Amino acid sequence: MSFKLKTILGIALIEIILLAILVMTSLHDLRSSNERELRTRAETSAKLLATMTSDAVVALDLATLDTLVEQALSNKGLLYVQIRNSNDLVLAEGGTIPSQLSSVNNVTDDQDLSDGNFNVAAPISVAGAQFGTVQIGLSASLLNDVVAAGSRRMWMIAGVEVLLVAIFGYILGTILTRQLHHLRDGAARVAKGEFGFHMPVVGNDELASTARSFNQMSSALEEYAKVVKTEKNEAEAGRKFAETLLHNAINSVSQAIFIVGENGELRFVNRAARDLYKLNKEDCAQGALFKDILLSAYTWRSETKSEEQTQTVYDRLKRLNANQIQTWQSKWMGERILLHTQRPIAAGGFVMVDTDVTELFDANEKNRRLELELMETHKLESLGTLASGVAHEINTPTQFIGDNLKFLREAFDDLNGFVSNLDDALASAQSEQLEEIDWSFLKEEIPAALSEAAQGVDSIGKIVRSIKEFAHPDDTETTETDLNNLVENAVTVSRSQWRHGADLVFEPAETETIISCYPGDVSQVVINLIVNAADAIAEHSQKQDYAGGKGEIVVSIEKDAEFCTISVTDNGPGIPESAVHRIFDMFYTTKPPGKGTGQGLAICKSIVEIKHRGKLSVRSENGKGSTFIVKLPIMPGSSKQNGAADSHAA
């Protein structure tokens, strides 16, 4: 409903209520005045008739009374006339007498017009004495006609007035709402964003003041909109710059970053993640499920182990919890080691950061190997110091024994010559004594025993010298070393490890094998390989008997233009094909639990390949044996270069 219609209806309603009150009041007043006039007329007529009929009533002149009644009924509006005496007897009457007309004694003025009559009674008195009553009835139709005519005129006037009020209300509403229409149209245009719109202002009333205020507001909104637009453009530019900077920063980091929504949908993937998992931009569209991306990345990269990789993905997905901060480690396709870090997002979802820590892991492994190597070196130094002391203590009495054996052998040779040169007579005399001591046997066996004892002492001396050389290597820098002699000493030192289960054949190089190396480290490598070969043969001998009761170890040295090659071959069980590629890994061992630590070959590889720039490899045939090949460069370079290489390798 429009404001103008409300205005018209409001004014009309007020006017109708006021006019209704006015008309009703006027009609009531009109009826009351006419009733008073009718009553006055009736009373006057009744009194006049009572005066006129008083003589006839007193004289009981009925004819006169009838004449007077007829004359009275000739008056317009008079319905009936009845004259009664004091005894309530009707003396004369005329007109239409009401059936329930009251008796004289009970006559009262009847002002009730519900039956359309107005009944009035007047006493007939002469000299103060009442001789009867005159009762007349006047018709109220004239009164009703007057009142009805007045009502019609008043209601017609009221209707005309209401119509005029409506017309003037419409005109006034149009005048009042014209400015409001301008305000409405202006507000609609401002609401649509047409800030700065000014509406026309007419007059100086409240609506005009409101219009001016609206124009001021529109101007202020225009200025504010300009400021907001400028700030919005600046904020949008800043947001775009921040997003671009953030995207570029995230794309420039080496870690793979996934931003995942609360329902598992992908929000963002950086370049490193696409490169690591070999994903296309189309695969990483917003809305793709993180689970599907991982499944596709793992299964597409693996044709032979798709089930295993799928299980790996599901195991990884089980760890995901958007409400926790967690870090764990896994292998990507069995090649790379990934560190996964997950952090929740306050708005829902989480950020997953995958860091390729393969190089760090390798570096840690190398550092650990170097630490183990250093520990092994310290241990060997301690053992070397102990062995050196023991060898020194053994060497002195061994020299005494060797010198005494030499003396005894020379003395026995002299004694034997002396006995052999005795003359026959003396020999015959001493023959019984010589037979008692079994001289012929002693003459044959004592030289042999002394010779074997001398050989034993020589062996002890050789072992002592090998131990002393092994225990006191100068490994602070490379040394020109005879590889044949170094390997032979290693074979001698390790004899107690292999002599019970294997025969060892040493095949030195035919040419001179002087190389620049760290002799203590090379000796450690050779001993470790020989001990491993002896352990493999001992383990294999429990399942299979060797011809001759022992296995065989062959240690050979070859030399070419660039390398001296040491080969250690055994006829043990060999290495399983599945374990060959891991045989040099730290802490990996094929020996039974409690016997191997998995460090020996890892240390050997570090010594050969990192410290000497050589190569340590293995050839193995399952069930037939293994050959470990150590290739040492003849000229590995200066110590300074080696140190730099070691640092780089670490």
Side-chain angles (χ1 to χ4, degrees):
M1 186 181 294
S2 65
F3 177 77
K4 179 167 66 176
L5 182 58
K6 289 179 181 179
T7 302
I8 295 172
L9 291 179
I11 295 174
L13 181 61
I14 294 172
E15 186 65 22
I16 289 172
I17 293 173
L18 293 176
L19 286 175
I21 295 172
L22 179 61
V23 169
M24 296 301 294
T25 303
S26 299
L27 289 175
H28 181 269
D29 292 341
L30 177 63
R31 189 177 188 86
S32 298
S33 63
N34 280 280
E35 285 181 357
R36 286 193 299 272
E37 183 180 354
L38 182 61
R39 181 175 181 179
T40 302
R41 177 188 172 190
E43 290 176 350
T44 301
S45 297
K47 289 178 179 180
L48 180 62
L49 185 58
T51 301
M52 290 174 63
T53 60
S54 60
D55 293 336
V57 171
V58 172
L60 294 175
D61 187 358
L62 298 177
T64 302
L65 290 175
D66 290 335
T67 301
L68 291 174
V69 168
E70 289 179 2
Q71 290 177 353
L73 290 174
S74 62
N75 293 321
K76 185 178 180 180
L78 191 62
L79 295 177
Y80 73 92
V81 175
Q82 188 180 61
I83 301 174
R84 294 174 182 266
N85 61 10
S86 60
N87 293 324
D88 200 24
L89 293 176
V90 177
L91 299 178
E93 63 181 2
T96 304
I97 304 299
S99 59
Q100 296 181 352
L101 187 65
S102 301
S103 62
V104 173
N105 296 329
N106 296 323
V107 168
T108 59
D109 293 340
D110 184 8
Q111 299 180 17
D112 184 7
L113 300 180
S114 60
D115 58 355
N117 297 330
F118 191 86
N119 302 315
V120 178
I124 300 174
S125 301
V126 176
Q130 184 175 348
F131 291 95
T133 304
V134 176
Q135 188 168 356
I136 64 174
L138 295 177
S139 175
S141 59
L142 182 61
L143 172 65
N144 292 333
D145 292 341
V146 172
V147 173
S151 297
R152 285 193 296 271
R153 287 194 300 272
M154 287 185 181
W155 285 118
M156 186 179 298
I157 293 171
V160 172
E161 187 174 354
V162 169
L163 180 61
L164 291 176
V165 167
I167 293 173
F168 285 111
Y170 177 81
I171 296 172
L172 178 62
T174 302
I175 296 173
L176 292 176
T177 57
R178 183 181 302 153
Q179 197 73 18
L180 293 178
H181 287 164
H182 291 317
L183 280 172
R184 182 194 63 190
D185 296 340
R189 296 178 69 171
V190 171
K192 291 180 180 179
E194 193 175 339
F195 302 125
F197 171 76
H198 283 192
M199 59 179 293
V201 180
V202 178
N204 198 27
D205 55 5
E206 289 81 358
L207 289 176
S209 177
T210 303
R212 281 190 287 270
S213 298
F214 175 84
N215 292 338
Q216 293 175 358
M217 180 191 70
S218 180
S219 300
L221 286 175
E222 182 181 21
E223 294 297 325
Y224 179 74
K226 291 179 181 179
V227 174
V228 170
K229 185 176 181 180
T230 302
E231 292 180 352
K232 180 182 177 182
N233 292 336
E234 293 176 355
E236 185 69 18
R239 183 185 64 81
K240 290 182 179 179
F241 175 76
E243 287 183 355
T244 303
L245 183 63
L246 181 60
H247 282 198
N248 292 338
I250 294 177
N251 280 323
S252 66
V253 299
S254 59
Q255 289 93 343
I257 299 177
F258 295 92
I259 300 178
V260 183
E262 57 183 348
N263 295 322
E265 73 278 5
L266 205 59
R267 298 285 182 83
F268 179 78
V269 181
N270 71 337
R271 187 181 298 112
R274 295 196 299 269
D275 294 341
L276 177 64
Y277 292 100
K278 307 301 180 185
L279 300 172
N280 298 322
K281 281 189 176 181
E282 294 77 12
D283 301 330
C284 303
Q286 285 195 7
L289 293 180
F290 181 55
K291 176 185 70 174
D292 296 339
I293 293 296
L294 286 183
L295 282 173
S296 62
Y298 274 84
T299 54
W300 292 350
R301 287 286 306 277
S302 176
E303 298 179 356
T304 60
K305 298 181 180 181
S306 59
E307 294 183 1
E308 178 182 350
Q309 296 300 333
T310 301
Q311 186 60 40
T312 300
V313 174
Y314 281 116
D315 291 342
R316 176 176 176 181
L317 291 175
K318 288 179 182 178
R319 299 181 64 100
L320 298 181
N321 189 331
N323 298 322
Q324 289 184 354
I325 299 175
Q326 54 181 335
T327 301
W328 72 95
Q329 181 177 300
S330 69
K331 280 195 175 182
W332 158 238
M333 301 307 295
E335 301 172 357
R336 312 297 294 178
I337 300 173
L338 301 181
L339 180 66
H340 309 288
T341 302
Q342 176 193 319
R343 290 183 175 273
I345 301 175
F350 58 88
V351 176
M352 176 67 68
V353 180
D354 294 343
T355 306
D356 188 349
V357 294
T358 306
E359 295 181 359
L360 179 61
F361 185 83
D362 291 343
N364 288 336
E365 286 296 318
K366 289 179 181 179
N367 290 335
R368 184 161 58 178
R369 286 197 296 267
L370 290 175
E371 289 177 0
L372 292 174
E373 181 181 345
L374 183 60
M375 292 171 59
E376 189 72 16
T377 301
H378 290 165
K379 182 175 72 174
L380 290 176
E381 287 179 356
S382 300
L383 290 176
T385 302
L386 178 61
S388 176
V390 173
H392 180 72
E393 294 298 327
I394 294 174
N395 188 49
T396 301
T398 300
Q399 290 179 353
F400 296 158
I401 295 171
D403 292 341
N404 290 334
L405 287 174
K406 183 178 180 182
F407 167 73
L408 290 174
R409 186 171 61 246
E410 293 175 354
F412 183 78
D413 290 341
D414 293 340
L415 180 59
N416 188 31
F418 173 75
V419 173
S420 299
N421 292 329
L422 288 176
D423 54 16
D424 293 339
L426 184 57
S428 298
Q430 299 294 329
S431 61
E432 292 181 0
Q433 295 180 355
L434 292 175
E435 288 178 1
E436 288 178 1
I437 63 175
D438 198 2
W439 172 253
S440 60
F441 175 76
L442 294 177
K443 182 174 62 175
E444 296 295 332
E445 294 299 326
I446 287 177
L450 292 174
S451 178
E452 289 178 359
Q455 290 178 1
V457 171
D458 289 340
S459 297
I460 292 173
K462 184 177 181 181
I463 292 172
V464 168
R465 287 192 299 273
S466 298
I467 290 176
K468 291 176 69 176
E469 291 179 5
F470 181 76
H472 290 285
D474 185 8
D475 283 354
T476 58
E477 59 183 16
T478 58
T479 304
E480 297 293 329
T481 304
D482 185 350
L483 198 60
N484 281 336
N485 186 38
L486 185 146
V487 173
E488 185 178 6
N489 287 336
V491 169
T492 301
V493 170
S494 63
R495 185 172 182 276
S496 62
Q497 299 292 323
W498 54 261
R499 65 187 180 90
H500 297 291
D503 293 327
L504 190 146
V505 178
F506 175 51
E507 298 176 355
E510 297 179 356
T511 60
E512 186 181 52
T513 56
I514 303 297
I515 65 170
S516 178
C517 67
Y518 297 92
D521 291 337
V522 176
S523 296
Q524 180 182 349
V525 170
V526 175
I527 291 174
N528 206 332
L529 296 178
I530 293 174
V531 170
N532 283 349
D535 290 342
I537 290 173
E539 179 184 352
H540 193 52
S541 65
Q542 297 176 2
K543 303 176 182 178
Q544 178 179 338
D545 294 333
Y546 287 101
K550 291 184 177 182
E552 184 180 50
I553 301 173
V554 178
V555 180
S556 62
I557 301 175
E558 296 179 355
K559 182 181 179 183
D560 56 24
E562 297 182 2
F563 296 95
C564 279
T565 304
I566 304 172
S567 300
V568 179
T569 305
D570 65 74
N571 59 351
I575 303 172
E577 183 178 355
S578 60
V580 170
H581 69 284
R582 300 184 58 193
I583 197 66
F584 295 109
D585 290 351
M586 182 63 72
F587 304 116
Y588 180 80
T589 180
T590 58
K591 294 180 180 180
K595 193 169 185 180
T597 63
Q599 302 177 26
L601 289 177
I603 294 174
C604 290
K605 192 173 183 66
S606 175
I607 291 173
V608 173
E609 296 189 355
I610 296 178
K611 202 166 186 178
H612 287 85
R613 305 293 184 83
K615 180 69 176 176
L616 175 59
S617 59
V618 61
R619 293 197 307 265
S620 182
E621 186 174 355
N622 197 17
K624 293 186 178 181
S626 304
T627 299
F628 284 86
I629 302 170
V630 179
K631 298 177 74 69
L632 298 174
I634 297 176
M635 297 297 294
S638 66
S639 299
K640 183 176 181 180
Q641 291 173 335
N642 285 343
D646 293 345
S647 176
H648 177 73

